[in-house]
Amino acid sequence: MTAESTMPPEERGRRSSEAIGVGTLYGVGLGPGDPELVTVKAARIIGAADVVAYHSARHGRSIARRIAEPYLRAGQIEEHLVYPVTTETTEHPGGYAGAMEDFYRESAERIAAHLDAGRDVALLAEGDPLFYSSYMHMHTRLTERFSAVIIPGVTSVSAASAAIATPLVTGDEVLSVLPGTMPVRELARRLADADAAVVMKLGRTYPQVREALSMAGRLDEAFYVERASTDAQRVLPAGDVDAESVPYFSLAILPGGAGGSATSDISERAKPVTSGVTVVGLGPGDIDWMTPQSRRELAAATDLIGYGPYLDRVPAQPGQRRHPSDNTDEPARARLACELAEQGRTVAVVSSGDPGVFAMATAVLEEAKQWPNVAVRVIPAMTAAQAVASRVGAPLGHDYAVISLSDRLKPWDIIAARLSAAAEADLVLAIYNPASKSRTWQVAAMRELLLEHREPGTPVVIGRDVAGPHESVKVVHLGDLDPADVDMRCLLIVGSSQTQWYGDTVFTPRRYPQ
């Protein structure tokens, strides 16, 4: 090991620069605002630098310089880089982008002159130099010619988390950092999908950020933190903020599952999630098709109940109990869920597809009539019919009926009557539970009933294990439908008289002949 390899990075940068007679650029993170949150290394670099550079708006008051002031020394050169424009309009021929491009180019030239003269430059940055910082504009322009050393700083995200005294993320939760300048609908989509999130760049964007939080259904969970760690710090529920008073140095923070509601006090937020039963739809198979709300509910549950293979699709959480069962034990599952909820547990009952479509929601609600103290909620999801339809186009593009061929809970006479009525009405049919090991004759019987009202050439989509590891989808004519091709993992879509099939595409036009 060489002596140089044991040097601190900034010392290696200095030695390298000295070798070619130029100074070193230091990108110095100052932290979120409190001078006491400046790191020991940052304070040392600021005090040792020949030149200290910092930005400000045209009013000339630099937040960065104010934070660094206790660490400055007499005799240092100061480079005050004043933005030509912030939020106001400009008459620059290139508009805002042109004005800022000229500013960054000219600022880089001013700093380069010091570096060429052999002076070390500490360029100050609030927070961290490489996290939404103006320093990055100088870094990209100067590091092709000069050595640079980055001194990381405490970010405003950490300061805001400390300000609300609430865990930001725990366990396997994922933190999303989002700019408030995103389009509202895209921001809302990402907030809905986030375990935890921080929205930066507020100021004039706050009305749009609040709208996005509301669209995502998470406004009540979010906090607003202004000037974190400073004497002017403010913390409010995000929905209670006067949008006209929001400065740029503020953010919205959405804590993870442990955060609770921003509208309650800290003692309330420390309480566990209210007990009860939530029936959660997993979607048809692919975890990417599971909704963010379903994922949050599953992560918050103390107990998971469901058919074993469905439970296997749910990521494990520390301390969570799982209660797998056979696929025919729906009443027993529902009863267990209510028993556990009565004991104060937070229970999630899982269903494939949507829990309200031939699934567990009905069984749980029926059982819960006997448990007046147990609250039940149902979380929707993509259905198997939607998943199969998407693989071939839009066969459900017009009116359609959803029918289960299982005669385990209703007599075949009822099923046959409904099939005939829907076929006579010229509805597209989504057929659930078409066959099983013990039910082998219903598909053939259905085909014969439908052929009384449909042409043999009517397209039938056979989707098996869609979005699962053994997915297969094919389209056949109704007259050629072979019951041997159909099992319990299948869903069938039978077209109407208007459904069209060409190549691999099947769709039902939205217009019907007059």
Side-chain angles (χ1 to χ4, degrees), residues 80 137 243:
H80 188 179
H137 298 285

Side-chain angles (χ1 to χ4, degrees), residues 170-173 257 273 276 278 280 282 290 293-306 310-324 340 345-350:
T170 59
D172 294 330
E173 291 175 338
V273 179
T278 304
V280 181
L282 302 180
M290 191 186 303
Q293 186 180 13
S294 291
R295 287 197 287 267
R296 288 196 299 271
E297 296 288 349
L298 292 169
T302 60
D303 294 77
L304 299 181
I305 296 174
Y310 297 163
L311 287 180
D312 291 342
R313 290 164 50 186
V314 180
Q317 297 289 334
Q320 221 171 39
R321 299 178 187 173
R322 293 180 175 232
H323 307 271
L340 292 172
R345 309 289 291 177
T346 302
V347 184
V349 179
V350 302

Side-chain angles (χ1 to χ4, degrees), residues 146-166:
F146 304 101
S147 296
V149 176
I150 307 299
I151 311 301
V154 177
T155 69
S156 57
V157 173
S158 297
S161 181
I164 65 174
T166 301

Side-chain angles (χ1 to χ4, degrees), residues 82-108:
V82 181
Y83 291 115
V85 62
T86 49
T87 60
E88 64 272 20
T89 59
T90 176
E91 296 182 359
H92 190 284
Y96 177 88
M100 294 304 292
E101 176 61 31
D102 284 351
F103 165 69
Y104 288 128
R105 177 178 49 78
E106 293 164 3
S107 297

